[in-house]
Protein backbone atom coordinates (compact mmCIF):
# COMPACT_ATOMS: atom_id res chain seq x y z
CA UNK A 1 0.00 0.00 0.00
CA UNK A 2 1.20 3.56 -0.63
CA UNK A 3 2.46 5.32 2.47
CA UNK A 4 0.40 8.07 4.14
CA UNK A 5 2.49 10.76 2.41
CA UNK A 6 1.89 9.34 -1.06
CA UNK A 7 1.19 12.27 -3.38
CA UNK A 8 3.28 14.73 -1.35
CA UNK A 9 6.25 16.06 -3.30
CA UNK A 10 9.26 17.38 -1.37
CA UNK A 11 12.01 19.52 -2.83
CA UNK A 12 15.13 18.98 -0.74
CA UNK A 13 17.56 21.91 -1.01
CA UNK A 14 19.72 20.94 1.94
CA UNK A 15 23.04 19.28 2.64
CA UNK A 16 24.68 16.84 5.02
CA UNK A 17 22.40 15.72 7.85
CA UNK A 18 19.51 17.58 9.53
CA UNK A 19 17.68 18.67 6.36
CA UNK A 20 18.41 15.49 4.38
CA UNK A 21 17.32 13.39 7.37
CA UNK A 22 13.99 15.21 7.48
CA UNK A 23 13.33 14.63 3.79
CA UNK A 24 14.50 11.02 4.09
CA UNK A 25 11.98 10.36 6.85
CA UNK A 26 9.21 11.87 4.73
CA UNK A 27 10.30 9.67 1.81
CA UNK A 28 10.15 6.52 3.92
CA UNK A 29 6.45 7.18 4.46
CA UNK A 30 5.57 7.75 0.82
CA UNK A 31 6.62 11.27 -0.10
CA UNK A 32 8.37 11.82 -3.42
CA UNK A 33 11.66 13.61 -2.70
CA UNK A 34 13.68 15.49 -5.30
CA UNK A 35 17.09 16.42 -3.96
CA UNK A 36 18.90 19.41 -5.47
CA UNK A 37 22.69 19.04 -5.48
CA UNK A 38 25.68 21.00 -6.75
CA UNK A 39 26.85 19.75 -10.18
CA UNK A 40 30.13 17.86 -10.07
CA UNK A 41 30.27 17.70 -6.28
CA UNK A 42 26.88 16.90 -4.80
CA UNK A 43 26.02 16.81 -1.13
CA UNK A 44 29.24 16.84 0.95
CA UNK A 45 27.86 13.80 2.75
CA UNK A 46 28.62 11.78 -0.39
CA UNK A 47 32.35 12.09 0.35
CA UNK A 48 32.48 11.22 4.06
CA UNK A 49 34.68 8.14 4.72
CA UNK A 50 34.53 5.23 4.64
CA UNK A 51 33.96 5.11 0.91
CA UNK A 52 32.51 2.25 -1.10
CA UNK A 53 32.92 2.52 -4.87
CA UNK A 54 34.00 6.12 -4.29
CA UNK A 55 30.86 7.10 -2.36
CA UNK A 56 30.30 7.38 1.40
CA UNK A 57 28.89 4.22 2.96
CA UNK A 58 26.52 6.46 4.90
CA UNK A 59 25.08 7.84 1.68
CA UNK A 60 23.13 4.59 1.34
CA UNK A 61 21.02 5.82 4.28
CA UNK A 62 21.09 9.60 3.80
CA UNK A 63 20.25 9.51 0.11
CA UNK A 64 17.85 6.60 -0.16
CA UNK A 65 14.35 6.97 -1.62
CA UNK A 66 15.31 10.24 -3.35
CA UNK A 67 15.86 11.50 -6.87
CA UNK A 68 19.00 13.57 -7.53
CA UNK A 69 18.86 16.71 -9.68
CA UNK A 70 21.94 18.88 -10.13
CA UNK A 71 21.49 22.67 -10.17
CA UNK A 72 24.19 25.24 -9.43
CA UNK A 73 22.42 27.67 -7.12
CA UNK A 74 25.19 30.22 -7.74
CA UNK A 75 24.19 30.51 -11.39
CA UNK A 76 21.88 33.48 -12.11
CA UNK A 77 19.40 31.24 -13.95
CA UNK A 78 19.19 28.66 -11.17
CA UNK A 79 16.55 30.53 -9.17
CA UNK A 80 14.01 30.33 -11.95
CA UNK A 81 14.63 26.62 -12.36
CA UNK A 82 14.28 26.01 -8.62
CA UNK A 83 11.09 28.09 -8.67
CA UNK A 84 9.65 25.92 -11.41
CA UNK A 85 10.44 22.84 -9.33
CA UNK A 86 8.91 24.47 -6.23
CA UNK A 87 5.74 25.11 -8.23
CA UNK A 88 5.29 21.32 -8.43
CA UNK A 89 6.18 20.68 -4.76
CA UNK A 90 4.20 20.68 -1.55
CA UNK A 91 7.21 21.07 0.75
CA UNK A 92 10.65 22.61 0.42
CA UNK A 93 13.30 21.55 2.96
CA UNK A 94 16.42 23.68 3.20
CA UNK A 95 19.22 24.38 5.65
CA UNK A 96 21.16 27.19 4.04
CA UNK A 97 21.77 30.33 6.05
CA UNK A 98 19.02 32.95 5.61
CA UNK A 99 21.43 35.28 3.80
CA UNK A 100 22.35 32.51 1.36
CA UNK A 101 18.71 31.83 0.52
CA UNK A 102 18.23 35.52 -0.18
CA UNK A 103 21.38 35.66 -2.29
CA UNK A 104 20.27 32.67 -4.35
CA UNK A 105 16.72 34.11 -4.64
CA UNK A 106 15.21 30.88 -3.33
CA UNK A 107 13.91 32.15 0.02
CA UNK A 108 10.35 31.60 1.22
CA UNK A 109 8.92 34.67 -0.48
CA UNK A 110 10.69 33.85 -3.74
CA UNK A 111 9.29 30.33 -3.90
CA UNK A 112 5.80 31.20 -2.72
CA UNK A 113 5.57 33.35 -5.86
CA UNK A 114 5.71 30.06 -7.77
CA UNK A 115 3.46 28.04 -5.42
CA UNK A 116 1.07 30.16 -3.34
CA UNK A 117 0.36 27.43 -0.76
CA UNK A 118 3.92 26.17 -0.42
CA UNK A 119 5.31 24.77 2.84
CA UNK A 120 8.95 25.55 3.60
CA UNK A 121 10.88 23.92 6.43
CA UNK A 122 13.99 26.00 7.03
CA UNK A 123 16.61 24.64 9.41
CA UNK A 124 19.48 27.00 10.19
CA UNK A 125 21.99 27.24 12.99
CA UNK A 126 20.13 29.84 15.06
CA UNK A 127 16.87 30.40 13.20
CA UNK A 128 15.87 33.18 10.83
CA UNK A 129 15.46 35.89 13.49
CA UNK A 130 17.57 37.34 16.28
CA UNK A 131 21.12 38.71 16.34
CA UNK A 132 22.70 35.36 15.40
CA UNK A 133 20.44 34.62 12.43
CA UNK A 134 23.22 34.58 9.84
CA UNK A 135 25.92 32.95 11.90
CA UNK A 136 27.14 29.63 10.50
CA UNK A 137 26.83 26.56 12.65
CA UNK A 138 26.84 22.78 12.63
CA UNK A 139 25.59 20.13 15.02
CA UNK A 140 28.51 20.32 17.43
CA UNK A 141 28.14 24.10 17.64
CA UNK A 142 24.41 23.69 18.33
CA UNK A 143 25.05 21.06 21.00
CA UNK A 144 27.46 23.37 22.78
CA UNK A 145 25.13 26.36 22.42
CA UNK A 146 22.12 24.43 23.75
CA UNK A 147 23.99 23.24 26.84
CA UNK A 148 24.25 19.53 26.03
CA UNK A 149 28.04 19.64 25.73
CA UNK A 150 28.29 21.44 29.07
CA UNK A 151 26.43 18.52 30.67
CA UNK A 152 28.39 15.75 28.95
CA UNK A 153 31.49 14.26 30.56
CA UNK A 154 32.70 13.61 34.08
CA UNK A 155 32.77 16.25 36.85
CA UNK A 156 36.57 16.35 37.01
CA UNK A 157 37.05 16.49 33.25
CA UNK A 158 36.37 18.82 30.34
CA UNK A 159 33.07 18.93 28.45
CA UNK A 160 32.91 16.32 25.69
CA UNK A 161 30.81 15.74 22.62
CA UNK A 162 28.30 12.91 22.52
CA UNK A 163 29.39 9.98 20.36
CA UNK A 164 27.22 11.16 17.48
CA UNK A 165 26.20 14.70 16.38
CA UNK A 166 22.81 14.36 18.02
CA UNK A 167 21.68 17.90 17.13
CA UNK A 168 21.46 16.86 13.49
CA UNK A 169 19.44 13.77 14.34
CA UNK A 170 17.08 15.43 16.81
CA UNK A 171 16.53 18.45 14.57
CA UNK A 172 16.07 16.28 11.48
CA UNK A 173 13.30 14.37 13.21
CA UNK A 174 11.77 17.60 14.53
CA UNK A 175 11.93 19.13 11.05
CA UNK A 176 9.97 16.19 9.63
CA UNK A 177 7.44 16.71 12.43
CA UNK A 178 7.33 20.43 11.59
CA UNK A 179 6.61 19.58 7.96
CA UNK A 180 3.60 17.55 9.08
CA UNK A 181 2.34 20.41 11.25
CA UNK A 182 2.80 22.92 8.45
CA UNK A 183 1.10 20.67 5.88
CA UNK A 184 -1.85 20.24 8.22
CA UNK A 185 -2.11 23.99 8.71
CA UNK A 186 -1.78 24.57 4.97
CA UNK A 187 -4.57 22.11 4.31
CA UNK A 188 -6.79 23.80 6.91
CA UNK A 189 -6.21 27.35 5.71
CA UNK A 190 -4.95 27.16 2.14
CA UNK A 191 -2.16 29.53 3.14
CA UNK A 192 1.60 29.07 2.69
CA UNK A 193 3.54 28.00 5.77
CA UNK A 194 7.10 28.65 6.92
CA UNK A 195 8.60 26.44 9.65
CA UNK A 196 11.66 28.27 10.97
CA UNK A 197 13.83 25.98 13.15
CA UNK A 198 17.15 26.80 14.79
CA UNK A 199 19.41 23.75 14.92
CA UNK A 200 19.88 24.17 18.67
CA UNK A 201 16.17 24.56 19.52
CA UNK A 202 14.88 20.96 19.38
CA UNK A 203 17.90 19.87 21.41
CA UNK A 204 17.23 22.48 24.07
CA UNK A 205 13.55 21.49 24.10
CA UNK A 206 14.50 17.84 24.53
CA UNK A 207 16.39 18.47 27.78
CA UNK A 208 13.25 19.00 29.84
CA UNK A 209 15.07 19.44 33.14
CA UNK A 210 17.87 21.80 32.11
CA UNK A 211 16.25 25.23 32.18
CA UNK A 212 13.42 24.28 34.54
CA UNK A 213 15.92 23.13 37.19
CA UNK A 214 17.94 26.31 36.79
CA UNK A 215 14.78 28.39 37.12
CA UNK A 216 13.86 26.57 40.33
CA UNK A 217 17.28 26.43 41.99
CA UNK A 218 19.38 29.14 40.36
CA UNK A 219 22.07 26.52 39.77
CA UNK A 220 23.16 25.29 36.33
CA UNK A 221 23.35 21.52 35.99
CA UNK A 222 26.92 20.47 35.27
CA UNK A 223 28.69 17.32 34.22
CA UNK A 224 27.89 14.18 36.19
CA UNK A 225 29.41 11.47 34.05
CA UNK A 226 27.04 8.54 33.74
CA UNK A 227 25.03 9.51 36.79
CA UNK A 228 21.61 11.10 36.50
CA UNK A 229 20.94 14.18 38.65
CA UNK A 230 17.41 12.97 39.43
CA UNK A 231 17.79 9.18 39.66
CA UNK A 232 19.90 6.67 41.57
CA UNK A 233 20.97 4.05 40.80
CA UNK A 234 21.40 5.07 37.17
CA UNK A 235 24.72 4.21 35.63
CA UNK A 236 26.79 1.97 33.43
CA UNK A 237 28.19 -0.94 35.40
CA UNK A 238 30.95 -3.32 34.37
CA UNK A 239 30.24 -7.05 34.51
CA UNK A 240 32.62 -9.83 35.53
CA UNK A 241 33.30 -10.71 31.88
CA UNK A 242 34.24 -7.14 30.99
CA UNK A 243 31.01 -6.03 29.35
CA UNK A 244 28.96 -2.98 30.32
CA UNK A 245 25.36 -2.91 31.49
CA UNK A 246 22.99 0.06 31.50
CA UNK A 247 20.89 -0.15 34.65
CA UNK A 248 18.55 2.77 35.47
CA UNK A 249 16.20 2.21 38.40
CA UNK A 250 14.00 5.11 37.38
CA UNK A 251 10.92 4.30 39.49
CA UNK A 252 10.18 3.05 42.97
CA UNK A 253 8.82 -0.20 41.56
CA UNK A 254 12.01 -0.79 39.57
CA UNK A 255 14.13 -0.11 42.64
CA UNK A 256 12.16 -2.58 44.74
CA UNK A 257 12.53 -5.26 42.06
CA UNK A 258 16.25 -4.57 41.84
CA UNK A 259 16.94 -5.03 45.54
CA UNK A 260 15.04 -8.33 45.46
CA UNK A 261 17.20 -9.48 42.54
CA UNK A 262 20.29 -8.35 44.47
CA UNK A 263 19.08 -10.15 47.63
CA UNK A 264 19.75 -6.90 49.48
CA UNK A 265 16.74 -6.31 51.76
CA UNK A 266 18.65 -3.75 53.83
CA UNK A 267 18.56 -1.35 50.86
CA UNK A 268 14.78 -1.16 51.24
CA UNK A 269 15.46 1.54 53.81
CA UNK A 270 16.13 3.90 50.91
CA UNK A 271 12.56 3.75 49.63
CA UNK A 272 12.39 7.16 48.01
CA UNK A 273 14.36 8.80 45.24
CA UNK A 274 15.34 11.60 47.61
CA UNK A 275 16.83 9.11 50.05
CA UNK A 276 18.70 7.30 47.31
CA UNK A 277 20.16 10.52 45.96
CA UNK A 278 21.31 11.43 49.47
CA UNK A 279 23.06 8.04 49.73
CA UNK A 280 24.12 7.82 46.07
CA UNK A 281 27.72 6.76 46.75
CA UNK A 282 26.66 3.78 48.90
CA UNK A 283 23.92 2.68 46.50
CA UNK A 284 26.03 3.02 43.38
CA UNK A 285 28.81 1.08 45.05
CA UNK A 286 26.50 -1.76 46.07
CA UNK A 287 24.96 -2.03 42.60
CA UNK A 288 28.38 -1.89 40.94
CA UNK A 289 29.65 -4.71 43.15
CA UNK A 290 26.56 -6.80 42.41
CA UNK A 291 26.96 -6.37 38.66
CA UNK A 292 30.70 -7.04 38.82
CA UNK A 293 30.02 -10.44 40.41
CA UNK A 294 28.08 -11.68 37.35
CA UNK A 295 28.73 -12.26 33.66
CA UNK A 296 26.58 -10.21 31.33
CA UNK A 297 24.34 -12.91 29.84
CA UNK A 298 23.18 -14.62 33.05
CA UNK A 299 22.89 -11.27 34.83
CA UNK A 300 20.68 -9.88 32.09
CA UNK A 301 18.50 -12.97 32.29
CA UNK A 302 18.23 -12.66 36.08
CA UNK A 303 17.28 -8.99 35.94
CA UNK A 304 14.80 -9.47 33.13
CA UNK A 305 13.17 -12.33 35.02
CA UNK A 306 12.89 -9.99 37.99
CA UNK A 307 11.25 -7.31 35.83
CA UNK A 308 14.23 -4.94 36.03
CA UNK A 309 14.92 -2.79 32.99
CA UNK A 310 18.51 -3.16 31.84
CA UNK A 311 20.47 -3.65 28.67
CA UNK A 312 23.95 -4.19 27.27
CA UNK A 313 26.11 -1.44 25.83
CA UNK A 314 26.09 -2.64 22.24
CA UNK A 315 28.60 -2.16 19.47
CA UNK A 316 27.52 -1.99 15.84
CA UNK A 317 28.42 -5.67 15.52
CA UNK A 318 26.22 -6.52 18.50
CA UNK A 319 23.31 -4.58 17.01
CA UNK A 320 23.57 -6.23 13.60
CA UNK A 321 23.56 -9.69 15.20
CA UNK A 322 20.80 -9.04 17.71
CA UNK A 323 17.64 -11.12 17.14
CA UNK A 324 15.29 -8.36 18.35
CA UNK A 325 16.85 -5.84 15.97
CA UNK A 326 16.53 -8.28 13.08
CA UNK A 327 12.98 -9.29 13.96
CA UNK A 328 11.86 -5.64 14.00
CA UNK A 329 13.66 -4.76 10.80
CA UNK A 330 15.65 -2.09 12.64
CA UNK A 331 18.62 -3.20 10.52
CA UNK A 332 18.06 -4.40 6.98
CA UNK A 333 20.06 -5.50 3.98
CA UNK A 334 19.60 -3.56 0.75
CA UNK A 335 21.11 -4.25 -2.64
CA UNK A 336 22.26 -1.50 -4.98
CA UNK A 337 21.18 -2.69 -8.40
CA UNK A 338 23.73 -0.37 -10.01
CA UNK A 339 26.78 -1.89 -8.28
CA UNK A 340 25.34 -5.20 -7.10
CA UNK A 341 26.65 -4.44 -3.61
CA UNK A 342 24.53 -5.49 -0.62
CA UNK A 343 24.76 -3.19 2.38
CA UNK A 344 23.58 -3.45 5.95
CA UNK A 345 21.81 -0.23 6.94
CA UNK A 346 19.34 1.08 9.49
CA UNK A 347 15.70 0.40 8.74
CA UNK A 348 12.82 2.71 9.53
CA UNK A 349 11.75 3.37 13.10
CA UNK A 350 8.39 2.22 14.44
CA UNK A 351 5.62 -0.01 13.13
CA UNK A 352 2.13 1.13 12.15
CA UNK A 353 -1.14 -0.74 11.81
CA UNK A 354 -2.43 0.94 8.65
CA UNK A 355 0.69 1.34 6.52
CA UNK A 356 4.31 0.34 6.20
CA UNK A 357 7.47 2.32 5.64
CA UNK A 358 9.29 1.89 2.36
CA UNK A 359 12.99 1.61 1.69
CA UNK A 360 12.56 0.73 -1.95
CA UNK A 361 14.96 3.01 -3.80
CA UNK A 362 18.74 3.04 -3.44
CA UNK A 363 20.56 6.32 -2.89
CA UNK A 364 20.90 8.00 -6.29
CA UNK A 365 24.03 8.73 -8.24
CA UNK A 366 24.78 12.42 -8.51
CA UNK A 367 22.41 14.04 -11.01
CA UNK A 368 20.92 10.68 -12.00
CA UNK A 369 17.41 12.05 -12.37
CA UNK A 370 18.13 15.57 -13.64
CA UNK A 371 16.89 15.02 -17.16
CA UNK A 372 13.80 13.03 -16.15
CA UNK A 373 12.72 15.64 -13.62
CA UNK A 374 13.31 18.56 -15.97
CA UNK A 375 11.40 16.82 -18.74
CA UNK A 376 8.55 16.65 -16.25
CA UNK A 377 8.65 20.46 -16.14
CA UNK A 378 8.14 20.57 -19.90
CA UNK A 379 11.74 21.12 -20.98
CA UNK A 380 12.81 19.31 -24.12
CA UNK A 381 16.18 17.68 -24.74
CA UNK A 382 17.61 20.74 -26.49
CA UNK A 383 16.67 23.04 -23.60
CA UNK A 384 18.16 20.64 -21.06
CA UNK A 385 21.36 20.36 -23.09
CA UNK A 386 21.57 24.14 -23.24
CA UNK A 387 21.25 24.41 -19.44
CA UNK A 388 23.99 21.84 -19.04
CA UNK A 389 26.27 23.58 -21.54
CA UNK A 390 25.91 26.86 -19.65
CA UNK A 391 26.57 25.31 -16.26
CA UNK A 392 23.11 25.81 -14.77
CA UNK A 393 22.69 22.07 -14.22
Amino acid sequence: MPGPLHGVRVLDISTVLAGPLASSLLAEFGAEVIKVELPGAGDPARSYPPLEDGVSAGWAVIGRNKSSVTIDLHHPEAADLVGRLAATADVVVTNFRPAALRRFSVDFGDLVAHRPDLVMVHVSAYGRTGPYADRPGFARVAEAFAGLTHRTGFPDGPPVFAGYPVADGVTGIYAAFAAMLALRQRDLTGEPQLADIGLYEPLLRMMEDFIADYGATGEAQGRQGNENPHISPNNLYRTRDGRWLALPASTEQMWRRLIVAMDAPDLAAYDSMTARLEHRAEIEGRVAAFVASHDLAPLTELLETSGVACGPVNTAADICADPQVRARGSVVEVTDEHTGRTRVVQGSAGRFSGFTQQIDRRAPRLGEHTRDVLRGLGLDAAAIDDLADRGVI
Side-chain angles (χ1 to χ4, degrees):
M1 293 180 60
L5 298 182
H6 177 73
V8 173
R9 175 178 269 200
V10 178
L11 186 61
D12 180 354
I13 314 175
S14 64
T15 61
V16 190
L17 289 181
L21 173 59
S23 65
S24 179
L25 293 172
L26 299 176
E28 288 175 13
F29 292 95
E32 176 192 3
V33 176
I34 298 172
K35 181 172 177 61
V36 174
E37 300 187 72
L38 182 66
D43 192 316
R46 288 179 177 269
S47 61
Y48 289 172
L51 303 180
E52 295 179 337
D53 304 316
V55 179
S56 173
W59 182 247
V61 179
I62 298 169
R64 68 191 182 195
N65 287 0
K66 302 178 184 180
S67 299
S68 173
V69 173
T70 52
I71 301 175
D72 186 352
L73 296 177
H74 303 85
H75 196 286
E77 296 181 45
D80 179 67
L81 198 55
V82 172
R84 294 179 67 175
L85 285 170
T88 71
D90 298 282
V91 180
V92 171
V93 176
T94 187
N95 61 357
F96 287 98
R97 277 187 272 171
L101 292 182
R102 294 192 295 269
R103 186 170 66 252
F104 295 146
S105 297
V106 293
D107 203 358
F108 182 57
D110 301 307
L111 299 184
V112 166
H114 295 269
R115 169 95 190 224
D117 63 347
L118 186 70
V119 166
M120 175 181 274
V121 178
H122 185 193
V123 175
S124 58
Y126 298 96
R128 295 168 62 95
T129 60
Y132 304 163
D134 278 313
R135 284 188 182 181
F138 293 100
R140 295 309 195 183
V141 176
E143 290 159 21
F145 187 78
L148 177 64
T149 309
H150 169 74
R151 299 182 63 173
T152 307
F154 287 89
D156 57 352
V160 298
F161 290 138
Y164 175 82
V166 293
D168 276 328
V170 172
T171 304
I173 295 168
Y174 193 91
F177 167 63
M180 296 294 91
L181 296 176
L183 278 171
R184 172 66 171 163
Q185 185 71 2
R186 190 275 306 270
D187 291 346
L188 289 172
T189 67
E191 298 175 351
Q193 303 294 323
L194 172 63
D196 167 19
I197 304 168
L199 188 60
Y200 76 92
E201 290 176 315
L203 196 62
L204 180 60
R205 171 62 182 84
M206 180 186 72
M207 296 186 291
E208 71 285 341
D209 62 338
F210 193 41
I211 302 303
D213 285 7
Y214 172 73
T217 68
E219 297 180 1
Q221 187 61 245
R223 293 179 289 284
Q224 291 191 272
N226 292 324
E227 294 179 350
N228 185 301
H230 307 290
I231 301 168
S232 179
N234 184 105
N235 217 315
L236 298 177
Y237 305 95
R238 194 164 192 172
T239 61
R240 184 169 57 192
D241 54 352
R243 296 291 302 276
W244 290 92
L245 183 76
L247 181 54
S250 302
T251 66
E252 299 303 322
Q253 184 181 54
M254 203 63 63
W255 166 247
R256 291 163 190 158
R257 292 173 181 174
L258 175 60
I259 61 178
V260 170
M262 293 173 60
D263 192 21
D266 59 304
L267 292 179
Y270 305 129
D271 200 29
S272 73
M273 195 64 73
T274 299
R276 291 195 292 281
L277 290 172
E278 290 174 352
H279 297 85
R280 184 194 291 273
E282 176 188 352
I283 289 170
E284 295 287 352
R286 291 281 296 275
V287 175
F290 166 71
V291 172
S293 67
H294 295 76
D295 291 342
L296 178 66
L299 175 59
T300 301
E301 183 177 355
L302 168 65
L303 292 174
E304 290 178 353
T305 301
S306 302
V308 176
C310 67
V313 176
N314 281 333
T315 66
D318 296 326
I319 292 167
C320 289
D322 189 272
Q324 176 69 14
V325 170
R326 289 288 187 171
R328 292 277 294 175
S330 305
V331 167
V332 296
E333 293 182 354
V334 296
T335 300
D336 185 333
E337 71 273 16
H338 178 66
T339 64
R341 182 187 295 273
T342 297
R343 294 179 171 90
V344 179
V345 297
Q346 298 97 313
S348 295
R351 299 296 173 266
F352 302 87
S353 62
F355 55 88
T356 58
Q357 307 94 308
Q358 299 295 322
I359 303 175
D360 54 5
R361 294 180 60 192
R362 60 168 170 77
R365 290 166 286 164
L366 179 60
E368 179 178 349
H369 305 96
T370 301
R371 290 182 175 271
D372 289 342
V373 170
L374 295 186
R375 278 195 295 267
L377 297 181
L379 279 69
D380 60 22
I384 295 172
D385 288 342
D386 179 59
L387 289 171
D389 292 341
R390 291 186 292 108
V392 184
I393 62 174

